[in-house]
Amino acid sequence: MLDFLLKFPDLLHSAIVFGTVIMFGALGEIITEKSGNLNLGVPGIMYFGGIAGLTSTFMYENVYCVNAGIEPNAALCVIMCLVASFLASALGGLIYSFLTISLRTNQNVTGLTLTILGSGVGNFFGGSLNKLAGGVGQVSVAVTSQAFRNYSYSLVNFFDGFTGKLRLGTLLFSYGFLTYVALILAVAIWFFLSKTRTGLSLRAIGENTATADAAGINVTKYKYLATCIGAGISGLGGTYYVMNYIKGTWENQGTIEALGWLAVALVIFATWKSLRAIWGSYLFGVLYWAYNYIPGLSRSTLELFRSLSGADASSYDRQFLNRILVMLYYYLHEYRGWKGPVVRNNATTHMLDRVAESFGEVCYEVPVGFKYISAKIDETDAVLGGESSGGLTVRGHIHGKDSVYAASLFVEMISAMEKSPAELWAELTAKYGEHVMEEDNLSFAPADKAAVHNTLMVERRLPDFGRAVADADYTDGCR
């Protein structure tokens, strides 16, 4: 319990960052639904916002500035990103408004279609940016992302200095400016809907359109404006995810869509009140991260936390994904007869090395980045290549992650071997021994980060783990 209490500030910090993503989505949807429109396209709109902000700043930061030989202007990067994100998201809201208000199409069907459109547009342009940047996972807008994540180190250190282990400075002031914009927006929306004539008119439209129309309120105008502005605000959630949460890159694993649906759920959870969305979003964030901070949880309790929060990237998940790579390589080599080496990045299970060695094959290690895995498969004619986040490909398949193919291959393995994954894994661990991955989230005061980096990366001194360290890899960070 004491260990959990000491880590509680870290848990709250993580929860606030996570919660801000869905808070933007929920605040925009609250405005939209107050006009009487139920827009289930929030996930797609967040895709619009995320990819528009990333594309605009990528073209400025990595194309224009590189060709012109100048340094990117951080303020201009932020302005371009926010404007592009808001306009692209508002355009999604305009499409929805035209179809549902003017053409009177079904709101649910239109919203779901907008979600599919948004994810397709986002991943199409995200893939194009990856190609321009040199490969899968290589797109980066470091200057823009840093500008979004900057905060006052002196303010954080000042409050951390006299609050000790509570670290109130880190808890309250160590976020990018969009975190505080979300809070201000929540209060402003509450004031607008509760205290202004325009807000009351908007609520009247949502509650009884015919009565509002009879009172002389321009229903169509209000609905269009509320839906478009609400979509623009929701799109900022996608921007926050791209720039703050994953630090200025792009991933196509469906996380934005999952967070978009959480935002829709938050609207209902908060009973369409923007102030309640604040603590509701942070509560969702606590549930998302809590199992990483509470010691001694059973597997069933872990699954309960993950289902409550919609979590999809826990350390438990990564252990399971590591196991899938081992089982698939074993299946392809022994049952399909595909002979050859295997490729993994330096963050993926070393059990692949032991399995490959038993076959008389080689397990090649490459840096993090799927382009390195694909290139090594081509170079060595490897059977399979993968990473602990779940991305994998096999000999002769596309040079990129294909989750549908991977899932189909996994189902084929279970059917062909007539064993459950648990049975196969028990067989493999009995034969090769079990490899365990442990991870922890550590937070450091800003003043200590430089010292930690110097110790690990410059002096290359490792802390005392209480056990011998067999190897440390510096190919990509320190592992």
Side-chain angles (χ1 to χ4, degrees):
M1 178 59 71
L2 179 61
D3 183 52
F4 171 71
L5 291 176
L6 291 175
K7 290 183 176 181
F8 191 68
D10 295 328
L11 171 59
L12 286 180
H13 186 277
S14 300
I16 289 171
V17 175
F18 175 89
T20 303
V21 181
I22 60 175
M23 192 194 305
F24 274 116
L27 292 176
E29 180 63 7
I30 285 172
I31 293 177
T32 299
E33 293 195 21
K34 286 295 183 180
S35 72
N37 286 338
L38 171 61
N39 185 0
L40 295 180
V42 172
I45 285 170
M46 289 174 67
Y47 266 113
F48 285 142
I51 194 60
L54 180 65
T55 302
S56 62
T57 50
F58 179 87
M59 298 306 292
Y60 169 70
E61 187 176 322
N62 294 297
V63 178
Y64 174 76
C65 289
V66 170
N67 292 335
I70 60 175
E71 290 294 322
N73 183 289
L76 182 58
C77 287
V78 170
I79 293 171
M80 289 178 59
C81 181
L82 291 177
V83 171
S85 174
F86 189 89
L87 291 179
S89 304
L91 177 61
L94 181 62
I95 294 172
Y96 174 87
S97 298
F98 176 72
L99 292 173
T100 59
I101 300 171
S102 298
L103 299 186
R104 300 186 181 279
T105 59
N106 182 276
Q107 291 185 2
N108 294 336
V109 173
T110 304
L112 293 173
T113 304
L114 189 60
T115 288
I116 297 171
L117 174 65
S119 63
V121 169
N123 288 323
F124 172 78
F125 283 101
S128 300
L129 291 180
N130 277 323
K131 289 182 180 179
L132 287 173
V136 176
Q138 300 307 301
V139 60
S140 175
V141 286
V143 174
T144 308
S145 176
Q146 188 60 52
F148 272 94
R149 292 182 288 116
N150 278 339
Y151 57 88
S152 173
Y153 289 95
S154 58
L155 190 63
V156 170
N157 290 333
F158 173 76
F159 280 93
D160 279 353
F162 67 82
T163 55
K165 293 182 179 179
L166 290 177
R167 301 205 313 278
L168 285 182
T170 300
L171 184 60
L172 297 176
F173 304 112
S174 62
Y175 311 96
F177 71 91
L178 276 184
T179 304
Y180 307 102
V181 169
L183 295 173
I184 294 170
L185 266 176
V187 175
I189 291 170
W190 164 80
F191 183 84
F192 168 74
L193 292 174
S194 303
K195 306 296 182 181
T196 68
R197 181 179 296 275
T198 305
L200 293 174
S201 297
L202 180 65
R203 289 169 55 190
I205 291 170
E207 292 171 7
N208 194 316
T209 304
T211 302
D213 184 55
I217 299 173
N218 191 331
V219 172
T220 301
K221 174 185 173 182
Y222 271 78
K223 280 180 171 287
Y224 263 89
L225 285 175
T227 305
C228 292
I229 293 173
I233 293 173
S234 293
L236 294 179
T239 301
Y240 186 89
Y241 176 79
V242 170
M243 295 301 170
N244 291 66
Y245 202 78
I246 60 174
K247 301 179 180 179
T249 187
W250 185 258
E251 56 86 21
N252 60 355
Q253 298 177 5
T255 309
I256 292 180
E257 182 173 349
L259 294 173
W261 289 120
L262 277 179
V264 174
L266 177 60
V267 173
I268 302 170
F269 182 79
T271 61
W272 295 269
K273 292 180 172 59
S274 61
L275 293 183
R276 292 182 183 178
I278 298 174
W279 64 262
S281 63
Y282 294 161
L283 175 61
F284 279 29
V286 168
L287 291 173
Y288 183 93
W289 288 111
Y291 55 83
N292 280 333
Y293 293 90
I294 302 176
L297 292 180
S298 66
R299 175 173 172 176
S300 59
T301 308
L302 282 171
E303 289 298 316
L304 175 62
F305 270 109
R306 293 172 63 241
S307 63
L308 285 172
S309 63
D312 59 359
S314 68
S315 59
Y316 176 79
D317 287 320
R318 286 188 283 276
Q319 290 187 57
F320 182 67
L321 293 169
N322 272 308
R323 294 178 181 183
I324 288 177
L325 293 174
V326 175
M327 289 187 283
L328 286 179
Y329 179 57
Y330 183 84
Y331 165 69
L332 292 173
H333 196 283
E334 294 298 282
Y335 282 75
R336 272 204 185 182
W338 289 17
K339 307 304 179 183
V342 64
V343 181
R344 62 168 177 80
N345 67 24
N346 55 15
T348 304
T349 177
H350 287 235
M351 190 171 179
L352 279 169
D353 301 60
R354 188 169 293 185
V355 175
E357 183 181 359
S358 72
F359 294 154
E361 307 284 6
V362 177
C363 179
Y364 292 100
E365 181 179 275
V366 297
V368 172
F370 208 81
K371 68 175 184 178
Y372 299 110
I373 292 174
S374 296
K376 201 66 175 180
I377 289 177
D378 279 349
E379 176 189 332
T380 62
D381 196 31
V383 171
L384 174 142
E387 56 188 6
S388 60
S389 63
L392 66 87
T393 190
V394 300
R395 178 191 294 160
H397 197 54
I398 62 172
H399 289 186
K401 309 171 188 178
D402 188 341
S403 58
V404 175
Y405 179 84
S408 301
L409 188 61
F410 190 67
V411 171
E412 176 195 310
M413 177 196 75
I414 295 171
S415 176
M417 299 182 71
E418 298 182 344
K419 297 176 182 177
S420 71
E423 292 171 336
L424 177 56
W425 185 249
E427 178 183 314
L428 293 175
T429 52
K431 189 173 184 179
Y432 300 108
E434 186 164 7
H435 289 59
V436 178
M437 180 184 75
E438 293 184 8
E439 68 175 23
D440 197 1
N441 296 309
L442 303 177
S443 296
F444 297 95
D448 296 331
K449 289 182 179 179
V452 172
H453 181 272
N454 185 68
T455 300
L456 290 177
M457 302 304 300
V458 179
E459 299 176 5
R460 295 196 171 183
R461 289 190 294 109
L462 298 177
D464 182 11
F465 293 107
R467 65 188 73 178
V469 177
D471 182 48
D473 178 52
Y474 294 92
T475 306
D476 185 13
C478 176
R479 301 177 187 274

